[in-house]
Structure formats: C-alpha cells, structure tokens
Amino acid sequence: MSPTNIVVIIIAFILFVLAFILIKTLLFARKSDSITIPFKYGVPRFAQDPQVLAEHLSSVIKIQTISHEDAKEDVIENFETMQALLAKTYPLTHKNLQKELVDGHTMIFTWEGKEPSLNPVVFMAHQDVVPADEYTLDQWTYPPFSGKIADGFIWGRGTMDIKCQMISVFESVEALLAAKFKPDRTIILTFSHNEEVLGTGAMAVVKHLKGKGVRVEAVIDEGGAVYDGIIPGVKGYVATIGISEKGYLSLKFTVQATGAHSSTPPKETAIGILSRAINRLENNRFPTDVRMVKPMFQGLGGAASPMMQMAFANLWLFGGIIAKILSAKGETDATIRTTTAPTLFHSGVKDNMLPSVAEAVVNFRILPGQSIADVCEYIRFVIKDKRVTFEPMDQKAWEASPLSPVDGNAYRHIASVIGEIWPGSAVAPYIMLGGTDSRNFCEISDCVYRFIPMVVNEEDLDRIHGVNERIGIDEFQQMADTIYRVMVRWSQKEL
Ligand SMILES: [Zn+2]
C-alpha cells in the first residue's frame, strides 16, 4: 500500500470516529417534550389561600415531633397532639379516608378508588423531625419550633424536611374531596413517625400492605428538589427526581490478639493489624461506575454544556476523564462509586497493656448494581488478612434500591407537572446518596420516585437539618399545587 493510501485510510477513520461521536451526542439529549404528557384536569385548580396554607404548616411546626435512636425518648404525646390537630384541620380527609396506625404512630390513610382492581398509588412523607442543635439556637432568626410566619417565609424544623410535603398531601386530598373528586384508583397516604432514625414505621407500612396482597403502581416521597444554580455547568432550574438510592452497610471489623504486657510486644498487635486493614480499604477505593450518572445528564439535555453532552454520550471514549473529574470532589465522587467511611475505632484500656481486641466500624454506601455480598467480597480481597473479621451491625445494612423507570407514565406525569409549575426547567433522574422511607416500597412497587417540589439554592442546602430551616410562603403554595396535580394525574385509570 502506498503512503498516500495509508494517509487516506487514517483520515477516513478519524472522520468516521468524529461523525460517530457527533451523532451519538445529537441523539443523546432527551427532548423534554418527549417526557411530558398533556392532561385535562377536570377539577378546579388548587386554590388554597397561601396565607391559610402557611398557617396550617406553621401549626404543625410548633409541635416538636422529634424522633430518637432510642424510641423510649420520643415524646409520644407530641405525635398524638399533631395527629389530633391534623384531624381538626382536615375534616373531610379524616371523614372519607380510612385511617390506620402501624408501628405505634405511623399513619396510613386509604382513599378508596372507583375501580378497586387497579393498583393504588402512594403519597408519602414523615411526621418526625431532627432536633435543633442547642449550640446553634442563637443563630436562628426565629426559634426552630416557633413556626413563625415572617418575611415571606414559614420558619422552623420540618418546613423543608418534610412536614411541608405531609401538609401538601393533606391539602390536596382535602381540596379534592371538597371538589367532589373521585379517584379511579385507590390513593394511599402514609406518614411514618421515625424516618430520621430507625425507619421502622415505613417498614411496617410495607409489611401491612404486603400482608393484604397490595401491589403499588407508583410511590412519591421526599428526595430531590428543584435546584437553582447547584449543578455545575447547568443554567436555570433543574428538577431532580430520585429513581433509586444507594445501599447502606455499617460493618464492624474485629481483630482478636493475645493481650500481653507492652514491655514484650509481639511483632503484630491487634491495633496494628486492624489499622492496616482500614488503611488498605482507604487506599483501594471501590471502582467507579459513571454509567450511574448518565441518566441525569441525559435528562438535563440542552441545559448541560455541549462538552458535557458529548462526553456522556460517548462514555466509551470519555468515561475515564469523566470519572477523574467527578472523583475529585467528595460530593461528586459519591455519585459514581460505593464509598468507604471509617466512622468508629476502639481499642485498648491502659498505656502499658496490649489490648486483646481492636474494633472499628466502617460505613459503606453502596452504588446500585452492587450488592452487600459484592461489597464484602471486595473487602476480603483488599484486606487479604483472615485475622480481620467483620459483620454487619444490627439494622444497619440494606441493599441499594433498583432503578425506577424514567420512560413510564408515572415519571412522565411528575415531569409534566414540573413543567407546568416551573416552565422551562430541566427534569433529570438521579440516584440519591442518602436514604428515604420509600426504599422499602421497592418490594411492592417498580415505580418509586423521590421528589420534593421545592426550589432549593446553594444556601438553602445547609438549612436542612441545619440552622434557619424555612420555606417561602409562595414556594409552599407551589409545592402543594404540584402534589395536587400529581395526585389527580396519578389517580387516573390510564397511569
Ligand atoms: Zn426527611
């Protein structure tokens, strides 16, 4: 072959590759109109007065429904007071829906649909809140349980996480009942009382429904939000809908050794052996998998920069670079791998005595696609030391949730409502790094979505579980309106 021919072949090959990259990029970004569903509501628009809405939220913020790791510390009367108040505020809901309690104070409401053969839909939130750190009390503009309505906001614990969503669900049902609306399919509302700690309430709900043979069509719970300026390189609002959440695994590592006097130490000690094992885990992090963030960038579509779109459309070529960029920061690194976090380390009682045992706890957050068994196998492979044993801590291990579909109607209806309430915003699915009650529902539903219809900016992120938790009065109205619309859409036969 002549040199000219070789050059021609090389150029043709390069052009082919470039064309391939370009075509893949153009096909990548999902058109936002392809994920929306036009809909005729057939009921009055949600028209609750924002001021009344704010007062309803404020009234439950004032009640300190704090949950504790040790359930005995819970002030049960507070949960009962709040439930009694809800019954007073939402009389139609309490008259027309069947209320049940499970696991103590977790509530289930059932609104029977016209067609009992259809699978029900579930609207979730939780009643409990985290406490306000006493060292930061003086930094609050208004006390954390004041429920103060001022400066255009409702202030206090639960205004963002997540009494706001609970009240939104009640407001929606109450308004729909007042409008004589009758859902085709059964609507179930459920509000657990210990999401922030044990999460046994939601487990009991799923057990209860499973026991009745219920299969759920779709679930909506807290999760992603409408982010304003938080996702790098993306302009405008981005609504993120959680379609899965990472698994959770706290392993207790133990090394036994013969205790001895420190004047005659053996070559290796319990502390030394365990430290090396932990060190190996830190130095051999779990492999990255950028495929997990691909659906998110696909959903962002034109809102993401062209470079980002090209890179994600061609992971075969740019996967390595993307992994490198994302793994540079803790927050983004956690989106592409199972994370390793040593959180506890105990050993020894006296300065001149070698301990007979060393213990450590490492918390792993498992990426969907991997199982607890995979994680344990990898740990054994990395540590390579049979003297280091490990076992999961009680109630501190669960698998990553399966991915809920983004091309089904339940997801598309949420995306459509987001488009109605916040026109022009991008909608993207993502994998949640934290956990929610809704993961339990994956047992009885394929479509579990995690979304808080609330605009959140960088500064707001610190308010959740932090100081000055608050929600704008108008934002809260939009939130309740979103839940109302999703409820009407999801309750239809043709979901
Ligand atoms: Zn929450």
Side-chain angles (χ1 to χ4, degrees), residues 35-101:
I35 59 159
T36 55
I37 307 178
F39 188 79
K40 269 210 160 79
Y41 283 89
V43 278
R45 292 278 150 160
F46 182 73
Q48 178 64 287
D49 173 12
Q51 206 58 40
V52 175
L53 207 52
E55 273 153 31
H56 287 169
L57 178 58
S58 159
S59 69
V60 292
I61 300 298
K62 288 177 184 151
I63 304 170
Q64 302 195 23
T65 50
I66 300 168
S67 55
H68 303 81
E69 283 276 345
D70 180 359
K72 284 194 225 80
E73 287 177 43
D74 291 354
V75 182
I76 293 305
E77 296 75 43
N78 290 351
F79 288 88
E80 286 164 355
T81 305
M82 188 170 78
Q83 292 187 12
L85 177 66
L86 289 167
K88 238 175 102 188
T89 314
Y90 304 107
L92 294 176
T93 306
H94 284 74
K95 191 172 153 241
N96 291 281
L97 276 61
Q98 185 207 356
K99 180 185 170 186
E100 293 165 284
L101 290 178

Side-chain angles (χ1 to χ4, degrees), residues 253-255 268-283 342 345-347 358-360 362 383 385 388:
F253 290 78
T254 308
V255 173
E268 287 183 293
T269 62
I271 291 178
I273 295 166
L274 185 57
S275 305
R276 192 178 52 219
I278 302 291
N279 191 249
R280 279 193 179 154
L281 283 175
E282 283 193 329
N283 288 336
F345 203 104
H346 293 304
S347 190
E359 288 174 347
V362 183
I383 294 181
D385 190 339
V388 183

Side-chain angles (χ1 to χ4, degrees), residues 126 128 160-162 195-196 222 435-436 452 464-465:
H126 54 88
D128 60 321
M160 296 175 84
D161 182 11
I162 187 79
E195 191 275 345
E196 298 288 2
E222 62 179 340
T436 70
I452 308 176
I464 301 164
H465 291 204

Side-chain angles (χ1 to χ4, degrees), residues 238-456:
V238 179
T240 54
I241 301 173
I243 55 164
S244 171
E245 50 195 82
K246 289 179 93 175
Y248 188 104
L249 176 65
S250 277
L251 289 178
K252 188 168 129 187
F253 290 78
T254 308
V255 173
Q256 308 269 0
T258 41
H261 198 273
S262 64
S263 59
T264 54
K267 264 194 187 146
E268 287 183 293
T269 62
I271 291 178
I273 295 166
L274 185 57
S275 305
R276 192 178 52 219
I278 302 291
N279 191 249
R280 279 193 179 154
L281 283 175
E282 283 193 329
N283 288 336
N284 296 280
R285 295 188 298 162
F286 283 81
T288 57
D289 186 351
V290 291
R291 285 174 309 170
M292 288 297 145
V293 284
K294 186 177 171 180
M296 178 167 167
F297 280 90
Q298 196 153 22
L300 288 175
S305 69
M307 286 300 277
M308 278 290 197
Q309 290 183 49
M310 185 180 74
F312 275 96
N314 296 280
L315 286 179
W316 60 277
L317 184 61
F318 301 112
I321 303 171
I322 292 174
K324 215 167 182 167
I325 295 170
L326 294 178
S327 62
K329 264 171 82 181
E331 292 89 354
T332 43
D333 183 58
T335 62
I336 54 166
R337 76 169 96 226
T338 295
T339 50
T340 305
T343 48
L344 294 167
F345 203 104
H346 293 304
S347 190
V349 285
K350 206 164 179 286
D351 77 298
N352 63 353
M353 222 169 91
L354 284 165
S356 56
V357 62
E359 288 174 347
V361 172
V362 183
N363 181 239
F364 300 91
R365 302 298 179 99
I366 308 167
L367 205 63
Q370 280 176 349
S371 66
I372 290 176
D374 296 335
V375 170
C376 292
E377 196 184 305
Y378 182 79
I379 292 168
R380 271 183 220 107
F381 168 75
V382 166
I383 294 181
K384 286 191 183 68
D385 190 339
K386 292 219 162 70
R387 294 168 300 178
V388 183
T389 59
F390 57 87
E391 57 174 5
M393 291 174 78
D394 194 27
Q395 293 197 12
K396 301 277 183 186
W398 56 84
E399 302 282 4
S401 325
L403 272 63
S404 295
V406 295
D407 50 5
N409 284 354
Y411 180 91
R412 293 171 67 209
H413 276 303
I414 303 176
S416 307
V417 174
I418 292 168
E420 290 170 4
I421 305 279
W422 296 279
S425 56
V427 181
Y430 84 120
I431 289 160
M432 288 190 61
L433 304 182
T436 70
D437 268 346
S438 65
R439 68 168 181 278
N440 297 289
F441 277 82
C442 294
E443 248 186 274
I444 53 170
S445 181
D446 298 326
C447 299
V448 179
Y449 300 107
R450 300 136 178 108
F451 178 60
I452 308 176
M454 171 171 64
V455 177
V456 170

Side-chain angles (χ1 to χ4, degrees), residues 76-188:
I76 293 305
E77 296 75 43
N78 290 351
F79 288 88
E80 286 164 355
T81 305
M82 188 170 78
Q83 292 187 12
L85 177 66
L86 289 167
K88 238 175 102 188
T89 314
Y90 304 107
L92 294 176
T93 306
H94 284 74
K95 191 172 153 241
N96 291 281
L97 276 61
Q98 185 207 356
K99 180 185 170 186
E100 293 165 284
L101 290 178
V102 292
D103 192 34
H105 290 80
T106 287
M107 300 189 279
I108 308 174
F109 290 86
T110 308
W111 187 1
E112 215 65 67
K114 282 186 279 187
E115 298 192 23
S117 61
L118 297 172
N119 289 341
V121 287
V122 174
F123 289 78
M124 301 178 68
H126 54 88
Q127 304 168 57
D128 60 321
V129 291
V130 295
D133 184 345
E134 57 179 298
Y135 296 103
T136 60
L137 286 183
D138 58 341
Q139 296 169 32
W140 284 74
T141 310
Y142 302 100
F145 293 97
S146 63
K148 182 88 178 164
I149 302 171
D151 321 323
F153 296 92
I154 307 127
W155 300 75
R157 270 287 172 267
T159 51
M160 296 175 84
D161 182 11
I162 187 79
K163 285 179 177 173
C164 51
Q165 198 132 330
M166 179 178 76
I167 293 299
S168 295
V169 172
F170 276 113
E171 291 287 341
S172 302
V173 174
E174 196 74 5
L176 288 169
L177 285 168
K180 306 268 185 286
F181 177 78
K182 287 199 175 67
D184 288 342
R185 58 178 76 235
T186 295
I187 297 175
I188 295 172

